[in-house]
Amino acid sequence: MATIPEIEARIHALWAKGDARTLDASVELGRLLTALETDMPPGDFYTHVLDVLYIPARAVQQLMHQYREAQGTS
């Protein structure tokens, strides 16, 4: 399993692609965010993504939803 810094590095790389990000990359980003949420202490996840990863909470929710839809678990 990847460490939190490894997950964050991959999230940064995918998020930086912005509008050039493919659907597969967006789903992967959602998967990584979901994995990060699992590894974070309860209540710290959205503060972390906003303050450390600089990703708006709304975007995080959409990406995680997109991942769950791709997995058929939404």
Side-chain angles (χ1 to χ4, degrees), residues 2 4-5 10 12 16-17 24 27-30 35-36 43 48 52 54 58 63 72:
I4 288 177
R10 185 73 180 127
H12 276 294
K17 291 183 179 186
D24 287 343
V27 169
E28 174 67 3
L29 184 51
L36 182 63
H48 184 80
V52 176
Y54 307 109
R58 178 101 170 122
L63 289 161

Side-chain angles (χ1 to χ4, degrees), residues 4-51:
I4 288 177
E6 291 169 338
I7 294 171
E8 290 174 341
R10 185 73 180 127
I11 288 169
H12 276 294
L14 290 169
W15 181 249
K17 291 183 179 186
D19 291 340
R21 193 173 42 249
T22 65
L23 177 58
D24 287 343
S26 291
V27 169
E28 174 67 3
L29 184 51
R31 184 191 71 77
L32 291 166
L33 288 163
T34 301
L36 182 63
E37 181 182 38
T38 301
D39 290 344
M40 296 290 299
D44 290 348
F45 176 68
Y46 285 103
T47 300
H48 184 80
V49 295
L50 185 59
D51 294 346

